[in-house]
Amino acid sequence: MIDLTEEQQMLVDTIEEIAEKEFEEKAFTWDNEVPWENLELLSDRGFLGLNIPEEYGGGGLSEIEVLLQIEAIGRVCPDTAFSVYNQSMVGPRAVEMFGTEAAKEKYLPMITDAEGMIAICISEPHAGSDAAAMNTHIEEDDDGELYLNGEKIWVTDVPDSKAGVVWTYFPDEGLGTVIMDFDSPGVEINENYTNMAGGTQTHFFMEDVHIPEENVLVRGEQAFKEQLKALNWERCGNAIMSNATALCAFDRALEYAQEREQFGQPISEFQGIQWKLADMAKHIQAGRALAHQAVSDAQRRGGYPDRLQASMASLYCAEHSEEVVSEALQIFGATGYQQGHPLEYLYRLARGRRIGAGTDETQKNGIAHVLLNKGGLS
Ligand SMILES: Cc1cc2nc3c(=O)[nH]c(=O)nc-3n(C[C@H](O)[C@H](O)[C@H](O)COP(=O)(O)OP(=O)(O)OC[C@H]3O[C@@H](n4cnc5c(N)ncnc54)[C@H](O)[C@@H]3O)c2cc1C
């Protein structure tokens, strides 16, 4: 686990206090809704966009602080933690890493001011794990103006997003990425779906959507390799979010096991329950160790997280988060199985983490690819 500096410990203490005082009461009531009032509160107090540079209104800190923030908030309000994860490690992160100065000035303050989100738009109806099979493409006219055509599906939080980072083919250059405003002429929302955990995921079409030159993030084979490496931040984010979900379930199960009495004693007195708690804690701490290591190693190197570390963290944490939440639900018995109970919600939430940021199987493919190419573990 990361050794915290005095400043980092202070940050954790402050965020924990905010989460308990301000977010706890309405936690688990945000079904199908982004908790904007919580994001606004974080923004007002200078805690939104911790890893965005200060000149764009962010905290000028690193992903380590974001990780600590997601864990601290996620134990109390998973929905707020999810928005922080999504807007720190995914869409806005690409703008921060690859954006032109004009794009950073236009889009990043919106994130730190809690005025809108930036979605990530990769999946298509026929291109899921096989993202390279996508059809979305840029057409360039004689004046060099760029127009986007295609469709995307399963994109999270589109109704709350002002823009999206869209993965697309460029003529003769392979895949690249651009920023697209959702209110641009030519963007047509086909359908908003509601996923198992109540989140909104959208299918939309793009027809001749004009993309200003300053909104091009990445084009050309070499540049796209960097974009692919940057996905390791999303993988680490998925691991961190999974751990936060597991911690949230574990905290509740530990408390409940000591309160709930059966056969004349708290159920925590039964060895069967104690073993569950021990296994849950073991998986959470192992997952945290993997995620913390991946993030802190990247920080130390000043680059992207390593693919092997990021995929292992994402895979392990997502798989075991589901297991931990399921065991926590088991400890709650019928109470935890009721619609509207935090455990029931956490279970649905944890399940999505095994698909959303690359499925378990895709992570395994990535791990095996590195192992086979590098000749094993170092
Ligand atoms: C909660 C959630 C949020 C999401 N948010 C976004 C978003 O914001 N933006 C976005 O673009 N997309 C988003 N997605 C979509 C996500 O990226 C895709 O679901 C994911 O890439 C898998 O694609 P698929 O669902 O089409 O499954 P498929 O690719 O069709 O896979 C189906 C099954 O086959 C397996 N499989 C596929 N290929 C292989 C292989 N080579 N080896 C072994 N098994 C394989 C998969 O692991 C899976 O089990 C989200 C999904 C979820 C669940």
Side-chain angles (χ1 to χ4, degrees), residues 120-123 128-129 153-156 195 201 352 355-356 359 361-362 365:
I120 184 86
C121 317
I122 306 175
S123 306
S129 303
I153 196 167
W154 310 134
V155 178
T156 300
N195 69 29
Q201 292 180 259
I355 303 171
T359 63
E361 294 76 15
T362 309
N365 288 343

mmCIF file of all heavy atoms in Angstrom, residues 120-123 128-129 153-156 195 201 352 355-356 359 361-362 365, ligand 1:
data_model
loop_
_atom_site.group_PDB
_atom_site.id
_atom_site.type_symbol
_atom_site.label_atom_id
_atom_site.label_comp_id
_atom_site.label_asym_id
_atom_site.label_seq_id
_atom_site.Cartn_x
_atom_site.Cartn_y
_atom_site.Cartn_z
ATOM 1 N N ILE A 120 -16.537 8.964 -22.835
ATOM 2 C CA ILE A 120 -15.573 8.243 -23.677
ATOM 3 C C ILE A 120 -16.376 7.375 -24.642
ATOM 4 O O ILE A 120 -17.241 6.614 -24.220
ATOM 5 C CB ILE A 120 -14.570 7.418 -22.826
ATOM 6 C CG1 ILE A 120 -13.513 6.761 -23.689
ATOM 7 C CG2 ILE A 120 -15.240 6.377 -21.957
ATOM 8 C CD1 ILE A 120 -12.351 7.623 -23.982
ATOM 9 N N CYS A 121 -16.106 7.530 -25.940
ATOM 10 C CA CYS A 121 -16.968 6.914 -26.956
ATOM 11 C C CYS A 121 -16.125 5.983 -27.829
ATOM 12 O O CYS A 121 -15.499 6.433 -28.801
ATOM 13 C CB CYS A 121 -17.604 7.998 -27.816
ATOM 14 S SG CYS A 121 -18.222 9.409 -26.864
ATOM 15 N N ILE A 122 -16.121 4.716 -27.475
ATOM 16 C CA ILE A 122 -15.318 3.727 -28.206
ATOM 17 C C ILE A 122 -16.234 2.664 -28.829
ATOM 18 O O ILE A 122 -16.176 2.391 -30.021
ATOM 19 C CB ILE A 122 -14.297 3.030 -27.268
ATOM 20 C CG1 ILE A 122 -13.423 4.060 -26.530
ATOM 21 C CG2 ILE A 122 -13.434 2.057 -28.069
ATOM 22 C CD1 ILE A 122 -12.473 3.463 -25.502
ATOM 23 N N SER A 123 -17.096 2.062 -28.018
ATOM 24 C CA SER A 123 -17.862 0.883 -28.448
ATOM 25 C C SER A 123 -18.849 1.210 -29.568
ATOM 26 O O SER A 123 -19.425 2.295 -29.613
ATOM 27 C CB SER A 123 -18.656 0.312 -27.268
ATOM 28 O OG SER A 123 -17.804 0.069 -26.187
ATOM 29 N N GLY A 128 -17.025 -4.302 -29.946
ATOM 30 C CA GLY A 128 -16.925 -4.187 -28.489
ATOM 31 C C GLY A 128 -15.490 -4.421 -28.072
ATOM 32 O O GLY A 128 -14.638 -3.527 -28.182
ATOM 33 N N SER A 129 -15.188 -5.665 -27.656
ATOM 34 C CA SER A 129 -13.796 -5.991 -27.296
ATOM 35 C C SER A 129 -12.874 -5.763 -28.497
ATOM 36 O O SER A 129 -11.728 -5.349 -28.341
ATOM 37 C CB SER A 129 -13.698 -7.459 -26.864
ATOM 38 O OG SER A 129 -14.579 -7.700 -25.795
ATOM 39 N N ILE A 153 -22.106 3.165 -29.095
ATOM 40 C CA ILE A 153 -23.121 2.589 -28.192
ATOM 41 C C ILE A 153 -22.513 2.359 -26.803
ATOM 42 O O ILE A 153 -21.273 2.325 -26.680
ATOM 43 C CB ILE A 153 -23.686 1.262 -28.789
ATOM 44 C CG1 ILE A 153 -24.986 0.864 -28.084
ATOM 45 C CG2 ILE A 153 -22.656 0.132 -28.719
ATOM 46 C CD1 ILE A 153 -25.777 -0.237 -28.802
ATOM 47 N N TRP A 154 -23.368 2.231 -25.829
ATOM 48 C CA TRP A 154 -23.008 1.951 -24.429
ATOM 49 C C TRP A 154 -22.189 3.085 -23.788
ATOM 50 O O TRP A 154 -21.447 2.853 -22.849
ATOM 51 C CB TRP A 154 -22.229 0.638 -24.251
ATOM 52 C CG TRP A 154 -22.813 -0.571 -24.890
ATOM 53 C CD1 TRP A 154 -22.160 -1.501 -25.637
ATOM 54 C CD2 TRP A 154 -24.174 -1.010 -24.818
ATOM 55 N NE1 TRP A 154 -23.024 -2.467 -26.058
ATOM 56 C CE2 TRP A 154 -24.267 -2.200 -25.573
ATOM 57 C CE3 TRP A 154 -25.333 -0.511 -24.217
ATOM 58 C CZ2 TRP A 154 -25.462 -2.902 -25.728
ATOM 59 C CZ3 TRP A 154 -26.520 -1.195 -24.371
ATOM 60 C CH2 TRP A 154 -26.573 -2.382 -25.119
ATOM 61 N N VAL A 155 -22.312 4.284 -24.341
ATOM 62 C CA VAL A 155 -21.498 5.386 -23.800
ATOM 63 C C VAL A 155 -22.153 5.912 -22.514
ATOM 64 O O VAL A 155 -23.338 6.270 -22.500
ATOM 65 C CB VAL A 155 -21.329 6.506 -24.843
ATOM 66 C CG1 VAL A 155 -20.525 7.651 -24.247
ATOM 67 C CG2 VAL A 155 -20.633 5.941 -26.084
ATOM 68 N N THR A 156 -21.367 5.930 -21.456
ATOM 69 C CA THR A 156 -21.867 6.280 -20.120
ATOM 70 C C THR A 156 -22.076 7.789 -19.984
ATOM 71 O O THR A 156 -21.238 8.581 -20.407
ATOM 72 C CB THR A 156 -20.853 5.791 -19.054
ATOM 73 O OG1 THR A 156 -20.722 4.375 -19.180
ATOM 74 C CG2 THR A 156 -21.294 6.116 -17.641
ATOM 75 N N ASN A 195 -28.637 0.752 -17.446
ATOM 76 C CA ASN A 195 -27.946 -0.514 -17.149
ATOM 77 C C ASN A 195 -28.394 -1.089 -15.805
ATOM 78 O O ASN A 195 -29.200 -0.489 -15.082
ATOM 79 C CB ASN A 195 -26.422 -0.358 -17.275
ATOM 80 C CG ASN A 195 -25.809 0.512 -16.183
ATOM 81 O OD1 ASN A 195 -26.315 0.594 -15.073
ATOM 82 N ND2 ASN A 195 -24.695 1.149 -16.512
ATOM 83 N N GLN A 201 -26.635 4.606 -20.456
ATOM 84 C CA GLN A 201 -25.680 4.313 -21.534
ATOM 85 C C GLN A 201 -26.387 4.534 -22.866
ATOM 86 O O GLN A 201 -27.489 4.037 -23.090
ATOM 87 C CB GLN A 201 -25.165 2.882 -21.407
ATOM 88 C CG GLN A 201 -24.282 2.707 -20.172
ATOM 89 C CD GLN A 201 -23.775 1.306 -20.036
ATOM 90 O OE1 GLN A 201 -24.284 0.522 -19.251
ATOM 91 N NE2 GLN A 201 -22.781 0.974 -20.821
ATOM 92 N N GLY A 352 -20.834 -4.672 -13.100
ATOM 93 C CA GLY A 352 -20.501 -3.911 -14.315
ATOM 94 C C GLY A 352 -19.014 -3.678 -14.483
ATOM 95 O O GLY A 352 -18.519 -3.508 -15.602
ATOM 96 N N ILE A 355 -17.011 -5.730 -16.908
ATOM 97 C CA ILE A 355 -17.275 -5.582 -18.348
ATOM 98 C C ILE A 355 -16.819 -4.216 -18.868
ATOM 99 O O ILE A 355 -16.167 -4.109 -19.902
ATOM 100 C CB ILE A 355 -18.801 -5.759 -18.636
ATOM 101 C CG1 ILE A 355 -19.295 -7.111 -18.130
ATOM 102 C CG2 ILE A 355 -19.094 -5.599 -20.128
ATOM 103 C CD1 ILE A 355 -20.812 -7.283 -18.169
ATOM 104 N N GLY A 356 -17.159 -3.160 -18.120
ATOM 105 C CA GLY A 356 -17.116 -1.792 -18.638
ATOM 106 C C GLY A 356 -15.771 -1.307 -19.167
ATOM 107 O O GLY A 356 -15.692 -0.718 -20.236
ATOM 108 N N THR A 359 -13.467 -6.243 -20.688
ATOM 109 C CA THR A 359 -13.971 -7.402 -19.937
ATOM 110 C C THR A 359 -12.820 -8.140 -19.253
ATOM 111 O O THR A 359 -11.648 -7.972 -19.610
ATOM 112 C CB THR A 359 -14.688 -8.392 -20.883
ATOM 113 O OG1 THR A 359 -13.717 -8.880 -21.832
ATOM 114 C CG2 THR A 359 -15.839 -7.745 -21.621
ATOM 115 N N GLU A 361 -12.044 -11.102 -19.682
ATOM 116 C CA GLU A 361 -11.345 -11.915 -20.699
ATOM 117 C C GLU A 361 -10.344 -11.054 -21.471
ATOM 118 O O GLU A 361 -9.234 -11.496 -21.780
ATOM 119 C CB GLU A 361 -12.366 -12.540 -21.659
ATOM 120 C CG GLU A 361 -13.294 -13.581 -21.020
ATOM 121 C CD GLU A 361 -14.410 -12.977 -20.157
ATOM 122 O OE1 GLU A 361 -14.663 -11.762 -20.261
ATOM 123 O OE2 GLU A 361 -15.021 -13.724 -19.367
ATOM 124 N N THR A 362 -10.749 -9.818 -21.799
ATOM 125 C CA THR A 362 -9.842 -8.915 -22.516
ATOM 126 C C THR A 362 -8.615 -8.600 -21.657
ATOM 127 O O THR A 362 -7.495 -8.528 -22.168
ATOM 128 C CB THR A 362 -10.585 -7.594 -22.856
ATOM 129 O OG1 THR A 362 -11.794 -7.926 -23.487
ATOM 130 C CG2 THR A 362 -9.775 -6.720 -23.771
ATOM 131 N N ASN A 365 -6.377 -11.497 -21.856
ATOM 132 C CA ASN A 365 -5.664 -11.508 -23.143
ATOM 133 C C ASN A 365 -4.476 -10.558 -23.093
ATOM 134 O O ASN A 365 -3.385 -10.882 -23.580
ATOM 135 C CB ASN A 365 -6.605 -11.082 -24.288
ATOM 136 C CG ASN A 365 -7.627 -12.153 -24.620
ATOM 137 O OD1 ASN A 365 -7.474 -13.308 -24.242
ATOM 138 N ND2 ASN A 365 -8.679 -11.765 -25.312
HETATM 139 C C1 LIG B 1 -21.048 -0.372 -17.033
HETATM 140 C C2 LIG B 1 -20.535 -0.201 -18.420
HETATM 141 C C3 LIG B 1 -20.104 1.050 -18.842
HETATM 142 C C4 LIG B 1 -19.616 1.207 -20.154
HETATM 143 N N1 LIG B 1 -19.255 2.463 -20.563
HETATM 144 C C5 LIG B 1 -18.799 2.650 -21.829
HETATM 145 C C6 LIG B 1 -18.435 3.958 -22.281
HETATM 146 O O1 LIG B 1 -18.538 4.951 -21.548
HETATM 147 N N2 LIG B 1 -17.965 4.081 -23.552
HETATM 148 C C7 LIG B 1 -17.845 3.017 -24.398
HETATM 149 O O2 LIG B 1 -17.376 3.224 -25.511
HETATM 150 N N3 LIG B 1 -18.217 1.773 -24.009
HETATM 151 C C8 LIG B 1 -18.694 1.560 -22.743
HETATM 152 N N4 LIG B 1 -19.067 0.314 -22.322
HETATM 153 C C9 LIG B 1 -18.965 -0.805 -23.254
HETATM 154 C C10 LIG B 1 -17.748 -1.672 -22.968
HETATM 155 O O3 LIG B 1 -16.574 -1.025 -23.354
HETATM 156 C C11 LIG B 1 -17.963 -2.995 -23.703
HETATM 157 O O4 LIG B 1 -19.060 -3.623 -23.069
HETATM 158 C C12 LIG B 1 -16.746 -3.901 -23.657
HETATM 159 O O5 LIG B 1 -15.686 -3.388 -24.419
HETATM 160 C C13 LIG B 1 -17.082 -5.312 -24.208
HETATM 161 O O6 LIG B 1 -17.710 -5.233 -25.430
HETATM 162 P P1 LIG B 1 -19.127 -5.973 -25.658
HETATM 163 O O7 LIG B 1 -20.011 -5.640 -24.532
HETATM 164 O O8 LIG B 1 -19.561 -5.629 -27.034
HETATM 165 O O9 LIG B 1 -18.805 -7.501 -25.548
HETATM 166 P P2 LIG B 1 -18.101 -8.479 -26.703
HETATM 167 O O10 LIG B 1 -16.876 -7.825 -27.148
HETATM 168 O O11 LIG B 1 -19.178 -8.726 -27.699
HETATM 169 O O12 LIG B 1 -17.822 -9.711 -25.846
HETATM 170 C C14 LIG B 1 -18.812 -10.664 -25.475
HETATM 171 C C15 LIG B 1 -18.117 -11.737 -24.620
HETATM 172 O O13 LIG B 1 -17.068 -12.375 -25.405
HETATM 173 C C16 LIG B 1 -15.839 -12.239 -24.734
HETATM 174 N N5 LIG B 1 -14.760 -12.077 -25.710
HETATM 175 C C17 LIG B 1 -14.687 -11.200 -26.737
HETATM 176 N N6 LIG B 1 -13.524 -11.319 -27.371
HETATM 177 C C18 LIG B 1 -12.820 -12.293 -26.730
HETATM 178 C C19 LIG B 1 -11.536 -12.881 -26.905
HETATM 179 N N7 LIG B 1 -10.700 -12.456 -27.856
HETATM 180 N N8 LIG B 1 -11.150 -13.850 -26.039
HETATM 181 C C20 LIG B 1 -11.981 -14.269 -25.049
HETATM 182 N N9 LIG B 1 -13.210 -13.756 -24.838
HETATM 183 C C21 LIG B 1 -13.624 -12.772 -25.654
HETATM 184 C C22 LIG B 1 -15.982 -11.001 -23.871
HETATM 185 O O14 LIG B 1 -15.040 -10.975 -22.804
HETATM 186 C C23 LIG B 1 -17.420 -11.129 -23.389
HETATM 187 O O15 LIG B 1 -17.479 -12.028 -22.328
HETATM 188 C C24 LIG B 1 -19.545 0.101 -21.034
HETATM 189 C C25 LIG B 1 -20.006 -1.138 -20.598
HETATM 190 C C26 LIG B 1 -20.488 -1.298 -19.316
HETATM 191 C C27 LIG B 1 -20.960 -2.650 -18.869
#
